[in-house]
Amino acid sequence: MIDGRNEVNVNPLNVMQSLKGFLTEEEELTFMNILFSSSASIRSGNFGLSRKEVEKLLHIQGNDEKFFSFLTRVNQAINRYIKVIYDERRDQVIIMMRVPARAARNTLTKESLSILLYMFYQQEVLQHEFTLFDQLLNAFGHETTKANQRLLLNIDPLKKIGAIEEYDTNSQEKAYQLTAIGVHMFTDSFLRRTAEFSQSNQLNKEEVLKFFKRYNLYQKGDEE
């Protein structure tokens, strides 16, 4: 920590070769287990490890300080390329990889990305607990033929990569909720460009983060 800020390592690939300088042997093994279990092909919709599983591997059951210290030190070492995230609602620890926009476009269509951004705005900015399928239908193509089918086809990839999950509304209405993966899919630079495009003028980072209410996604004292 430097002046209350997390020091970002500018050469994380080298640090990957010497993680023991940051982690104990148990912590290194735990990191490898989280990395392995965060693969969509391995765990399907159940990405990552539960906090209980992580604490068991670290032998630190119920110790908040040691748990978050482990996450912080891993991210200090490698957060230029990958990031460890704790999803409190799902109680899962996951790892997300940073990829260039060109590579991301091969994973999600522009329609799927638009749906995700719409849900992000509804749930992270407007603070809605979930997004109804009918709301998505109304926003994306209710006037087109086979709109339901096309919408479901574009929602499916978001579910497969763990960005969203179905939400039980205790009714017949279909609804979706963002996961921690979906919340962290968008970088600050992407949000800035999106907001600038919609506002037709340049905005500083603080204005963009405030607009998207990103400040409430981080622990006090942390900065992206």
Side-chain angles (χ1 to χ4, degrees):
M1 300 286 286
I2 297 179
D3 296 331
R5 298 183 180 182
N6 288 334
E7 181 181 6
V8 177
N9 183 11
V10 297
N11 201 4
L13 290 183
N14 284 343
V15 177
M16 289 286 283
Q17 301 296 324
S18 56
L19 268 177
K20 287 186 178 180
F22 291 83
L23 309 175
T24 65
E25 186 174 342
E26 286 180 342
E27 289 174 337
E28 185 182 18
L29 179 61
T30 302
F31 165 72
M32 293 168 62
N33 271 281
I34 298 170
L35 185 63
F36 175 75
S37 64
S38 293
S39 168
S41 62
I42 300 298
R43 296 290 289 267
S44 186
N46 189 28
F47 301 96
L49 298 178
S50 69
R51 175 171 176 172
K52 185 176 181 180
E53 290 176 292
V54 172
E55 290 183 341
K56 184 177 180 180
L57 290 168
L58 295 175
H59 303 291
I60 58 165
Q61 282 84 349
N63 191 316
D64 281 353
E65 183 178 351
K66 290 185 178 180
F67 175 74
F68 287 107
S69 172
F70 164 70
L71 300 184
T72 298
R73 282 181 287 113
V74 171
N75 282 327
Q76 284 178 332
I78 55 178
N79 80 343
R80 190 176 182 184
Y81 293 106
I82 60 179
K83 185 175 183 179
V84 183
I85 297 167
Y86 175 49
D87 183 343
E88 293 188 36
R89 183 173 57 81
R90 301 176 77 195
D91 195 35
Q92 292 285 108
V93 181
I94 58 175
I95 288 181
M96 293 184 67
M97 181 176 291
R98 300 179 187 274
V99 297
R102 186 185 300 273
R105 284 196 293 269
N106 293 330
T107 302
L108 293 177
T109 64
K110 61 183 180 181
E111 290 83 5
S112 293
L113 187 61
S114 297
I115 292 169
L116 183 61
L117 186 58
Y118 177 86
M119 293 178 62
F120 180 92
Y121 179 78
Q122 270 212 333
Q123 296 178 33
E124 293 300 309
V125 179
L126 303 182
Q127 296 292 291
H128 294 176
E129 189 173 354
F130 53 84
T131 300
L132 292 171
F133 180 82
D134 285 346
Q135 291 175 310
L136 294 171
L137 188 62
N138 184 62
F140 297 98
H142 61 286
E143 297 176 349
T144 62
T145 58
K146 298 184 178 179
N148 283 40
Q149 182 180 353
R150 293 182 62 180
L151 189 58
L152 288 171
L153 285 175
N154 285 297
I155 288 174
D156 190 56
L158 297 174
K159 293 168 61 178
K160 286 183 176 178
I161 64 172
I164 66 173
E165 60 186 6
E166 293 193 15
Y167 182 88
D168 185 5
T169 61
N170 295 317
S171 70
Q172 297 298 315
E173 294 184 288
K174 187 181 289 292
Y176 302 95
Q177 187 174 53
L178 290 173
T179 66
I181 294 175
V183 169
H184 288 85
M185 286 277 286
F186 302 114
T187 63
D188 291 341
S189 61
F190 177 86
L191 294 178
R192 183 189 297 112
R193 291 195 302 272
T194 301
E196 287 175 355
F197 179 79
S198 64
Q199 298 293 323
S200 300
N201 64 304
Q202 282 198 329
L203 302 171
N204 62 44
K205 178 180 178 180
E206 287 68 31
E207 289 174 321
V208 176
L209 297 189
K210 184 178 180 180
F211 176 72
F212 282 99
K213 295 191 176 180
R214 295 278 282 183
Y215 55 80
N216 63 15
L217 301 180
Y218 305 107
Q219 292 185 10
K220 186 176 181 181
D222 287 352
E223 290 192 2
E224 181 76 13

